[in-house]
Amino acid sequence: MATSPLTLQLQLQQSLSFSHSLIPKLFALSNFGYESFPSITTINFNPRKQPSIQCSSRNPPLDTATKNSVRRFSKKTSSSSSSHTDKKVSFESKSVNSTSYTVVEKKKKNENENKNEFEKKKKIKDTPPQAKLRVSLDQCSKRGDLKGALSLFDSAISQGVKLGQHHYTVLLYLCSSAAIGGLRPAKSGSGTRTLNAQVSSNNLNGSVDRNDDDDERFCSDSDDNKLLDNSVSVSHSDDSDMNDKDRDKRNGIMVSEVVKEYALQRGFEVYENMRMSKVEMNEAALTSVARMAMALSDGDKAFEMVKQMKILGINPRLRSYGPALSTYCNNGEIDKAFDVEKHMLEHGVYPEEPELEALLRVSIRGGKSDRVYYVLHKLRSSVRKVSTTTADLIVDWFKSKIALKVGKRKWDNGLIMKAMQNNGGGWHGTGWLGKGKWQVLQTSVRKDGMCKCCGVQLATIDLDPVETENFAKSVASIAISNEKNSNFQTFQKWLDYYGPFEAVIDAANVGLYSQGKFMPSKINAVVNELRQKLPSKKFPLIVLHHRRIKGDKRDVPINKALVDRWNNANVLYATPTGSNDDWYWLYAAIKFKCLLVSNDEMRDHLFQLLGNDFFPKWKERHQVRFGFSDAGLEFYMPPPCSVVIQESEEGHWHIPIEAELNDEAERRWLCITRAKLDMVSGDSSTTSKDEKPLQNGEQAKSVTRKESAKELQYQNLVNHKKMIGTPQESYKNHRK
């Protein structure tokens, strides 16, 4: 077999290496009487024969024994070197193959990239101009780039590109945003509706004839730009740590008056082009036109856009009414503003707090006491708890000179009480009662539901049994439609067999409390503590997904003992795979009209399906919050009264202020009463420590002796009425 040149070369290099390693050993032979070998010593290498050593002629020849010794040594070294050489050749061969493979792969990758790039360019080249324009306009919308969008529009028109509905919607959205003062980046033309900044930010100083010279306010919060759509929100919190890009994204890019005028001009031009091209209108486009009309303070034009929607078969949204309502309110056109609200209700659109706040503001500025009364009750029925901005506005009304002049001096108590009973308690709705100056204080409510300021027992408004039954059916219907197989129907049958229960526990929420690590021991603590508060002392219903009670955690002895205990008592229901346990515990609590132990805020999309009418009222009366601390487990029971605007039979008002709280005892209320001369006794300037006059900065305000005496008498009345109920009585109240 022929040896390759590469192999011969490697073997030669190895042989030379061997010769140099052998010389020192040959020098050692001089100790046996031989002279040192000169540097001309050579080694002949033949790939088919053993290597041999040749010396110059001046060196004496080696004897036979020495030659044999050297040959043996040479043979051994050659064998070792040969093995090493083979490995080296093999390694280098692999390296060459690996390098070749890498080069091929890289070449193949480059070819694929070139091919993809070619296909991409071809695809772009083949993309219709309308699609290219859509992508470009969406990018302008994301950046809030009005100039770029209009440049694309002009270019498309000049090139004869036919624009579609989406193109016009994005263009109108950008133009309307700039027209009202700020470009707000968005994914596409969403037609974001706003209430004009003047409506939300104008205070009433100078507009309302105040009853006193003190112009300090209860709340200092401003609300310059309430956005009534989920796509954009404006916050007035400290933004000192935000960079310019984030601040622009949040608050929008403010524009000059010149840009506003340009945006209006081009915006109406785009709208006219859309109309002349007979492109189908949509709600977002018409709402954007209404916003441009709002920028011109043309409420009629803005309202006309909403009316046009109905003609075209488009259902207006809440944001659609914002421009018209804002403009009328800002212009002081009260009747037209309430015409907008009437149109909303006729078409199944219900105003929320921003709209009602605007109506309340314009009614106060116009001195329309009947309109103010109407809006307060709208806030009661749809909002329940008011924001600090609305609370500030309400304070302004009751401190105005007009407010002290309105009201009946005489009324039929029997008719008032009958009206309150028919309404379920908490309000009568027959109009302002009484005359004279109003006193507005900030206070809280005792654990028995009594106002700490005036001593009035606040009402627990009954839930209509028919409404409750319909609500339970609605929950079951939604759950069944979202469940697999007949899992929920099985649960309903299980409840019929093992129920009723006096309380239901959202066990996953309890077990995952705080640490995020599921702990059955926490469920056990809640179960044991809650049993002591229930009249029957029976176990509550425990609803838990089956994966929480199977596997490794289930096999822990203490956990197994707890699960077995609950199963044996027939109080544990494990929801199957594919089921949402939220529907299970919610339905059970509604069905049995019992308490629900959970810290879940119930705000996700599933609960949004239940609406904002009955569900908040039910949750307020039945949800029990909890917490673990060093002191142990603590329950936050439902409030002792309905947390909603209340009107008493004497014409007094109690208004709760919105806040995120665990304990309702911490909630602040407005206590609004009229002074009564016949209730004055004694001479005192002392006020209850809980009373807080509504002033900016929470500074105390002096009160008259007459008012102090009145409050002291109320407080004495409260102290004589000890209303400490048992847990059983408390539970009965919550079952209403």
Side-chain angles (χ1 to χ4, degrees):
M1 180 177 179
T3 305
S4 66
L6 178 61
T7 304
L8 290 173
Q9 183 180 357
L10 292 173
Q11 289 177 343
L12 178 59
Q13 292 175 353
Q14 183 64 33
S15 177
L16 292 175
S17 175
F18 161 74
S19 66
H20 285 285
S21 64
L22 183 62
I23 289 173
K25 297 182 181 296
L26 295 178
F27 277 131
L29 295 177
S30 61
N31 295 330
F32 295 94
Y34 293 97
E35 296 180 4
S36 299
F37 289 93
S39 59
I40 59 172
T41 301
T42 59
I43 300 174
N44 294 327
F45 179 80
N46 188 323
R48 296 192 178 185
K49 296 182 180 181
Q50 292 295 333
S52 60
I53 302 175
Q54 294 181 353
C55 301
S56 63
S57 59
R58 61 182 177 177
N59 286 310
L62 297 174
D63 59 18
T64 304
T66 302
K67 288 182 179 180
N68 291 337
S69 176
V70 172
R71 287 194 182 99
R72 284 195 300 270
F73 178 80
S74 175
K75 183 178 181 181
K76 182 177 180 181
T77 306
S78 176
S79 175
S80 175
S81 299
S82 177
S83 174
H84 176 73
T85 301
D86 291 341
K87 292 180 180 179
K88 186 173 182 180
V89 171
S90 175
F91 174 76
E92 291 190 2
S93 176
K94 289 181 179 179
S95 298
V96 172
N97 292 338
S98 176
T99 303
S100 301
Y101 177 78
T102 304
V103 171
V104 172
E105 282 295 307
K106 188 174 182 180
K107 184 177 180 182
K108 186 176 180 181
K109 183 178 180 182
N110 290 336
E111 289 176 352
N112 289 336
E113 288 179 353
N114 292 335
K115 183 179 179 181
N116 292 337
E117 186 69 22
F118 174 77
E119 291 177 352
K120 185 177 180 181
K121 290 180 179 179
K122 183 179 178 181
K123 185 177 180 181
I124 293 175
K125 185 178 180 180
D126 295 340
T127 302
Q130 289 86 354
K132 292 181 182 179
L133 179 61
R134 175 171 182 146
V135 172
S136 299
L137 285 174
D138 284 345
Q139 291 297 322
C140 290
S141 181
K142 288 179 182 180
R143 298 189 302 267
D145 184 4
L146 173 65
K147 183 178 178 181
L150 290 174
S151 177
L152 289 169
F153 170 71
D154 292 336
S155 177
I157 295 298
S158 64
Q159 295 174 17
V161 177
K162 186 177 180 181
L163 277 68
Q165 186 186 78
H166 182 82
H167 302 123
Y168 285 111
T169 301
V170 175
L171 288 163
L172 289 170
Y173 166 75
L174 287 169
C175 289
S176 64
S177 294
I180 62 174
L183 282 164
R184 296 179 177 86
K187 289 185 177 180
S188 62
S190 59
T192 304
R193 64 183 184 87
T194 68
L195 284 185
N196 194 318
Q198 292 179 337
V199 174
S200 297
S201 62
N202 285 355
N203 58 39
L204 298 172
N205 300 346
S207 301
V208 177
D209 191 5
R210 296 290 294 269
N211 188 43
D212 49 42
D213 296 331
D214 184 10
D215 195 37
E216 291 184 306
R217 308 289 294 276
F218 162 54
C219 299
S220 60
D221 297 347
S222 63
D223 196 9
D224 294 332
N225 222 348
K226 285 199 173 185
L227 292 174
L228 309 179
D229 195 273
N230 292 332
S231 60
V232 182
S233 63
V234 176
S235 171
H236 296 280
S237 60
D238 182 22
D239 61 356
S240 58
D241 295 332
M242 297 177 64
N243 57 42
D244 292 339
K245 184 177 180 180
D246 291 338
R247 194 177 292 108
D248 286 344
K249 184 181 291 186
R250 192 196 68 179
N251 294 332
I253 305 167
M254 298 299 104
V255 300
S256 66
E257 291 298 323
V258 175
V259 175
K260 290 180 185 179
E261 292 179 6
Y262 177 72
L264 278 172
Q265 175 191 341
R266 296 304 308 272
F268 283 113
E269 178 186 330
V270 171
Y271 171 64
E272 185 64 20
N273 194 295
M274 182 180 185
R275 195 175 63 82
M276 295 299 293
S277 299
K278 296 183 179 180
V279 176
E280 184 180 0
M281 295 288 174
N282 61 3
E283 184 271 337
L286 291 173
T287 297
S288 292
V289 177
R291 295 170 76 206
M292 292 190 293
M294 178 179 69
L296 294 172
S297 297
D298 189 346
D300 293 340
K301 178 72 173 178
F303 197 14
E304 182 61 33
M305 291 298 103
V306 181
K307 294 176 180 178
Q308 208 177 112
M309 292 181 193
K310 296 305 298 181
I311 296 174
L312 297 173
I314 301 170
N315 291 323
R317 296 170 58 180
L318 183 56
R319 70 182 185 185
S320 308
Y321 289 94
L325 182 62
S326 169
T327 305
Y328 286 143
C329 290
N330 209 35
N331 294 342
E333 299 176 90
I334 300 176
D335 292 338
K336 289 185 176 181
F338 279 90
D339 285 343
V340 174
E341 190 243 1
K342 180 181 178 181
H343 193 277
M344 294 170 68
L345 298 177
E346 289 175 349
H347 294 88
V349 180
Y350 300 95
E352 296 178 356
E353 187 171 6
E355 289 81 10
L356 294 174
E357 182 189 331
L359 290 169
L360 180 62
R361 190 180 297 275
V362 72
S363 299
I364 293 173
R365 293 169 69 182
K368 301 292 185 179
S369 60
D370 55 336
R371 298 286 195 185
V372 173
Y373 187 85
Y374 169 81
V375 177
L376 283 177
H377 277 289
K378 293 292 290 186
L379 287 166
R380 175 195 58 77
S381 62
S382 61
V383 179
R384 298 175 65 83
K385 303 181 286 288
V386 301
S387 66
T388 54
T389 306
T390 304
D392 190 22
L393 193 56
I394 292 171
V395 171
D396 277 316
W397 162 252
F398 282 105
K399 286 189 174 183
S400 68
K401 288 183 179 180
I402 297 175
L404 66 85
K405 297 177 182 178
V406 300
K408 305 173 184 176
R409 287 191 177 275
K410 296 181 180 180
W411 59 87
D412 188 329
N413 284 328
L415 292 177
I416 297 296
M417 295 303 295
K418 185 176 181 180
M420 296 188 72
Q421 185 177 3
N422 292 337
N423 294 333
W427 65 286
H428 54 78
T430 60
W432 301 108
L433 300 181
K435 290 281 186 180
K437 181 180 178 180
W438 294 92
Q439 178 173 287
V440 184
L441 297 172
Q442 184 180 170
T443 186
S444 58
V445 175
R446 289 178 18 166
K447 291 184 177 180
D448 55 12
M450 187 173 287
C451 175
K452 290 183 179 180
C453 180
C454 68
V456 168
Q457 179 70 47
L458 298 183
T460 300
I461 300 174
D462 296 334
L463 297 177
D464 188 344
V466 176
E467 272 191 297
T468 303
E469 182 65 25
N470 291 336
F471 185 52
K473 291 178 180 178
S474 175
V475 172
S477 176
I478 296 173
I480 291 171
S481 65
N482 286 276
E483 288 286 317
K484 294 180 179 179
N485 304 322
S486 57
N487 294 335
F488 197 81
Q489 290 95 326
T490 302
F491 174 64
Q492 289 177 301
K493 294 177 182 178
W494 188 92
L495 288 178
D496 291 337
Y497 187 80
Y498 290 106
F501 295 93
E502 293 175 313
V504 178
I505 295 178
D506 175 6
N509 184 266
V510 175
L512 292 168
Y513 177 82
S514 182
Q515 297 177 349
K517 180 181 179 182
F518 184 72
M519 299 179 65
S521 58
K522 289 186 176 180
I523 302 174
N524 188 51
V526 169
V527 168
N528 293 337
E529 185 69 22
L530 187 62
R531 286 183 67 189
Q532 303 307 312
K533 295 182 177 294
L534 299 178
S536 67
K537 308 295 183 185
K538 291 182 179 180
F539 276 99
L541 171 61
I542 304 167
V543 178
L544 192 62
H545 198 277
H546 80 99
R547 71 174 181 273
R548 300 287 185 187
I549 56 176
K550 296 184 182 296
D552 296 338
K553 295 184 181 299
R554 169 68 172 79
D555 295 335
V556 176
I558 186 172
N559 294 343
K560 185 177 185 303
L562 290 175
V563 172
D564 290 344
R565 181 189 181 199
W566 299 332
N567 277 325
N568 292 335
N570 296 314
V571 296
L572 174 64
Y573 192 89
T575 59
T577 301
S579 296
N580 188 329
D581 56 340
D582 290 358
W583 293 120
Y584 288 73
W585 49 254
L586 179 60
Y587 174 79
I590 297 169
K591 175 180 174 65
F592 297 127
K593 302 179 179 64
C594 65
L595 298 175
L596 169 63
V597 180
S598 177
N599 284 342
D600 194 327
E601 293 294 339
M602 300 180 228
R603 290 176 178 169
D604 63 26
H605 69 284
L606 293 176
F607 297 105
Q608 295 301 317
L609 297 174
L610 302 175
N612 294 320
D613 185 17
F614 185 81
F615 183 50
K617 293 186 287 187
W618 180 90
K619 187 171 70 168
E620 175 190 277
R621 301 304 313 142
H622 294 271
Q623 184 175 11
V624 177
R625 300 179 183 276
F626 65 93
F628 290 93
S629 65
D630 295 338
L633 173 63
E634 186 174 5
F635 288 114
Y636 304 102
M637 303 301 288
C641 61
S642 294
V643 184
V644 62
I645 295 174
Q646 298 199 20
E647 178 190 31
S648 75
E649 63 272 17
E650 295 180 339
H652 299 168
W653 293 80
H654 288 85
I655 301 174
I657 301 172
E658 180 64 66
E660 293 290 340
L661 303 168
N662 278 331
D663 190 355
E664 276 294 329
E666 300 174 3
R667 185 176 301 283
R668 307 308 295 172
W669 291 66
L670 300 183
C671 175
I672 305 170
T673 59
R674 286 191 191 267
K676 291 186 177 180
L677 298 179
D678 60 339
M679 296 190 68
V680 177
S681 64
D683 184 10
S684 172
S685 59
T686 306
T687 61
S688 170
K689 68 178 183 179
D690 189 70
E691 297 170 10
K692 290 187 179 180
L694 302 176
Q695 302 299 327
N696 191 19
E698 298 295 321
Q699 296 177 354
K701 173 185 173 183
S702 61
V703 293
T704 63
R705 292 186 174 211
K706 183 180 355 181
E707 292 166 347
S708 299
K710 175 188 128 176
E711 296 303 324
L712 181 62
Q713 184 168 352
Y714 270 133
Q715 190 62 42
N716 290 336
L717 178 64
V718 171
N719 292 336
H720 285 295
K721 294 181 179 180
K722 301 295 183 181
M723 300 180 64
I724 304 176
T726 63
Q728 289 81 359
E729 291 172 342
S730 176
Y731 169 75
K732 290 178 181 178
N733 289 333
H734 298 312
R735 292 202 62 168
K736 292 182 179 180

